[in-house]
Amino acid sequence: MVAEYVINGRKTLAGKIRVGGAKNAILPVLAAVLLTDKPVVLHDCPHLLDVEKTIMILKAIGCTIKREDRDLIIDPSNINSWVIPESYVREIRSSIIFLGSMLARMGRAQTTYPGGCEIGQRPIDLHLKGLKQLGVEIDESNGYLACEASKLEGATVHLDYPSVGATENIMLAAVKAKGRTVIHNAAKEPEIVDLQNFINAMGGDIRGAGTNTVVIEGGRKLDEVEYTIIPDRIVAGTYMVAAAITGGDILIENVIPEHLQSIIYKLRETGCVVQAQGLSIRVKGKYRLRAVEHTKTLPYPGFPTDMQAQFTSLLSVTRGTSIISETIFENRYRHVPELVRMGANIRVDGQTAIIHGVRGLKGTRVTAKDLRGGAALVLAGLRAEGQTIVENISYIERGYENLDSALNSLGADITKVE
Ligand code: EPZ
C-alpha cells in the first residue's frame, strides 16, 4: 500500500517551528558542484526524496558524497561520465540542469528529455536555446539529447520567459564559457541568487542574480567551498497557511522575510496578523478569515505558483468569494476536485479558480496528485471536521521533511500509515 496520512482535524496549531534548507536552492547547487574538482561542504541540506535522488546522480557520475545529518561532504574530483542516467532524469525532471554544469566540466553531456509531470508539459526549449547560444551543439535525433561544446563562448541571451531552470542552466554553462555572458529577462527567484552566491563562494564572478539581468564572467578556476543553503520559502509559506487555516499562532524560525513578502501580504488581506521579527515570522490566524478578491501567480517577486494550492485550501474556508489565476503551469488545480469532496465550493474555469468560502470542511479520503497539491490537502485536513486520509503522500515527501511530525509538534494529530 502506498503511504498515507491520517489526520484528525480541527486542532488549533501553536508553537514554533524551524524551516530547513530550500529544495529548489539545493538542487541547482548540487548541479553546480561539478564546476569544481575541489571538496564541497553543504550545510542545512534537507532530507527529501528529490535531494537524495540528485545525490544518486552525482554518485553515478563519479562523485563521492557523505551525508552527516544535514551536512553533505562532496568530493567531485573524479567525474567519470558525461551521461546523466535516464532513470533519474525521468524520476526527477529538475536534473535537466545537470546539462549546463556537465557541459562546463566535461565539454559534453547526454541525457533524455525530462518529459512532463503532474502539473504540466514542462518544456525545455528555453534551456536548449540558451545553451546553443553559448556554442553547444545538440543532437536530438536518437530520442535523447547529445550535447557537445568543444568550446563554450560567452553570449548575450534573452529569455522569452523568465524560466527558473533555463536561467540556472545557462548560468552553470556560462561559468566555463570564454568571456562574458549576459542573461536578459532572467528569473529573479531567491534560489537563483543562492546559486550565484554559491558559485561566487567557489571563486566565480556572477552579478545581478535577483534582477532580470545576470552577468557571468566565464573561464575562472573554481576552488573548494563550504556553503549553507537558504531556507525554504515554500515550506515556510506552507507553515504560515497552517497557522491561518487552524486559527493558530505559530512562530516560524529560520526564514528570510523578504522572500515571503507576497505571501505575507496575501495572508494579511485575509485578516491574519503576520509579523516579521528578524529571521522569524509570527502568524496568527482566525477561524473565519476574509476572502481575497484576486490572487494571481507570477514569477518572483509575485505570488508563487508553488503556494497556489495551499492558498486555495485556505480561501476555501474564508468568508466570501475569492478568485485565483494560475499563470505559470497549465495543470495545477488537481487538488481542487479533492477539496470539493471535502465540501469546498470551488469551480475551475481554464486557468482560473472561483472559490466560494464555506464554513467548514468534512474529513474524507483524498488523494495527493502532486507535491504542493498534496500539501494543500493536508492543510485542509487540519481544518476539517473528523478524519481526513491523504493518500499518495510520497508526492509530499518530495518537498517536505516529515510534514506530519513537523505539524504534530505544533499540536496537529497526523499519523503516517505505511
Ligand atoms: C522551478 O521549476 C521550480 N522547481 C518549481 O517548483 C517552480 O514551480 C517553478 O520554478 C516556478 O517558480 C525547481 O526549482 C526544481 P520554470 P522550473 O522553468 O525551473 C515554462 C515545486 O513545487 N517553460 O520557471 O521548471 C514552463 O512550462 C516545483 O517545488 C518553457 O516554456 O520552472 C512553465 O510554464 C514545481 N520553456 C514556466 O515556463 C522552458 O524551456 C515556468 O517554468 C522552461 C520553462
Side-chain angles (χ1 to χ4, degrees):
M1 177 181 83
V2 283
E4 53 195 33
Y5 284 147
V6 178
I7 305 167
N8 292 311
R10 293 186 74 81
K11 304 281 185 295
T12 301
L13 300 195
K16 59 184 177 180
I17 187 147
R18 183 187 183 279
V19 175
K23 167 176 87 77
N24 292 348
I26 188 167
L27 295 179
V29 161
L30 285 171
V33 159
L34 299 183
L35 297 174
T36 182
D37 55 6
K38 299 288 188 308
V40 173
V41 177
L42 298 177
H43 297 300
D44 207 2
C45 303
H47 295 271
L48 295 170
L49 287 176
D50 280 10
V51 173
E52 300 314 313
K53 286 186 184 136
T54 305
I55 289 170
M56 298 300 286
I57 293 175
L58 284 171
K59 286 180 176 172
I61 58 178
C63 287
T64 53
I65 301 185
K66 205 162 61 181
R67 181 188 264 274
E68 287 171 6
D69 189 21
R70 303 184 75 78
D71 295 343
L72 289 182
I73 296 98
I74 306 172
D75 173 2
S77 60
N78 172 34
I79 302 298
N80 53 34
S81 168
W82 60 81
V83 177
I84 304 157
E86 172 170 354
S87 55
Y88 292 121
V89 174
R90 291 193 185 291
E91 272 193 77
I92 163 152
R93 55 173 317 289
S94 58
S95 53
I96 194 66
I97 46 174
F98 272 91
L99 272 188
S101 58
M102 183 65 86
L103 284 160
R105 176 67 179 262
M106 307 287 275
R108 54 195 306 188
Q110 182 178 309
T111 184
T112 53
Y113 273 95
C117 74
E118 308 77 24
I119 62 175
Q121 277 301 311
R122 314 295 294 274
I124 57 168
D125 55 305
L126 300 177
H127 297 237
L128 303 183
K129 185 177 169 187
L131 291 173
K132 284 174 184 168
Q133 286 186 259
L134 296 181
V136 180
E137 278 149 40
I138 301 175
D139 173 4
E140 305 173 50
S141 52
N142 307 313
Y144 49 79
L145 292 164
C147 306
E148 292 258 345
S150 44
K151 64 179 181 314
L152 289 163
E153 296 273 349
T156 296
V157 176
H158 183 279
L159 288 176
D160 298 338
Y161 178 90
S163 153
V164 172
T167 303
E168 292 166 345
N169 235 335
I170 296 161
M171 279 168 74
L172 289 164
V175 168
K176 293 291 181 183
K178 187 163 153 293
R180 169 177 294 182
T181 295
V182 180
I183 306 173
H184 289 296
N185 197 27
K188 300 189 278 191
E189 272 70 5
E191 293 76 26
I192 307 273
V193 179
D194 214 25
L195 180 62
Q196 167 184 280
N197 294 344
F198 173 70
I199 293 171
N200 288 349
M202 285 199 273
D205 180 353
I206 305 181
R207 301 184 309 281
T211 75
N212 50 26
T213 303
V214 179
V215 181
I216 303 105
E217 303 299 350
R220 301 171 70 107
K221 179 111 181 65
L222 301 186
D223 213 333
E224 63 184 85
V225 64
E226 182 164 357
Y227 194 77
T228 300
I229 304 295
I230 55 168
D232 195 312
R233 59 194 169 98
I234 305 301
V235 170
T238 305
Y239 291 151
M240 291 167 74
V241 173
I245 203 168
T246 60
D249 181 350
I250 299 179
L251 181 69
I252 301 153
E253 298 176 316
N254 190 40
V255 300
I256 300 173
E258 182 207 335
H259 294 168
L260 290 155
Q261 285 303 325
S262 62
I263 300 160
I264 291 169
Y265 283 102
K266 277 297 164 188
L267 285 177
R268 283 179 181 159
E269 279 186 57
T270 68
C272 286
V273 175
V274 185
Q275 290 153 339
Q277 304 159 351
L279 293 180
S280 298
I281 283 190
R282 184 169 180 186
V283 180
K284 283 191 240 177
K286 274 192 276 186
Y287 236 66
R288 205 76 167 109
L289 290 162
R290 292 191 300 270
V292 170
E293 195 178 342
H294 189 201
T295 304
K296 192 172 186 181
T297 64
L298 287 167
Y300 191 88
F303 189 83
T305 175
D306 292 351
M307 280 299 301
Q308 179 262 104
Q310 299 92 311
F311 202 55
T312 300
S313 287
L314 175 63
L315 294 175
S316 73
V317 289
T318 53
R319 193 192 305 273
T321 297
S322 306
I323 302 236
I324 285 197
S325 305
E326 170 54 63
T327 72
I328 311 290
F329 289 109
E330 65 268 29
N331 191 25
R332 209 165 194 179
Y333 283 124
R334 304 184 70 202
H335 47 286
V336 168
E338 302 300 300
L339 290 173
V340 168
R341 292 182 55 241
M342 296 177 73
N345 180 349
I346 308 173
R347 187 164 53 79
V348 172
D349 178 6
Q351 292 310 306
T352 302
I354 298 103
I355 305 161
H356 299 290
V358 294
R359 287 195 62 77
L361 300 171
K362 290 218 41 70
T364 185
R365 182 172 278 275
V366 290
T367 305
K369 304 279 178 60
D370 55 63
L371 162 56
R372 307 300 174 185
L377 297 177
V378 172
L379 294 170
L382 294 177
R383 170 62 181 254
E385 279 288 345
Q387 197 167 80
T388 301
I389 297 168
V390 180
E391 298 173 336
N392 275 354
I393 60 168
S394 57
Y395 279 118
I396 301 172
E397 292 175 328
R398 295 186 56 173
Y400 294 87
E401 287 182 280
N402 309 316
L403 185 60
D404 50 332
S405 48
L407 295 173
N408 287 342
S409 73
L410 297 166
D413 175 0
I414 305 176
T415 308
K416 179 175 172 179
V417 176
E418 302 283 349

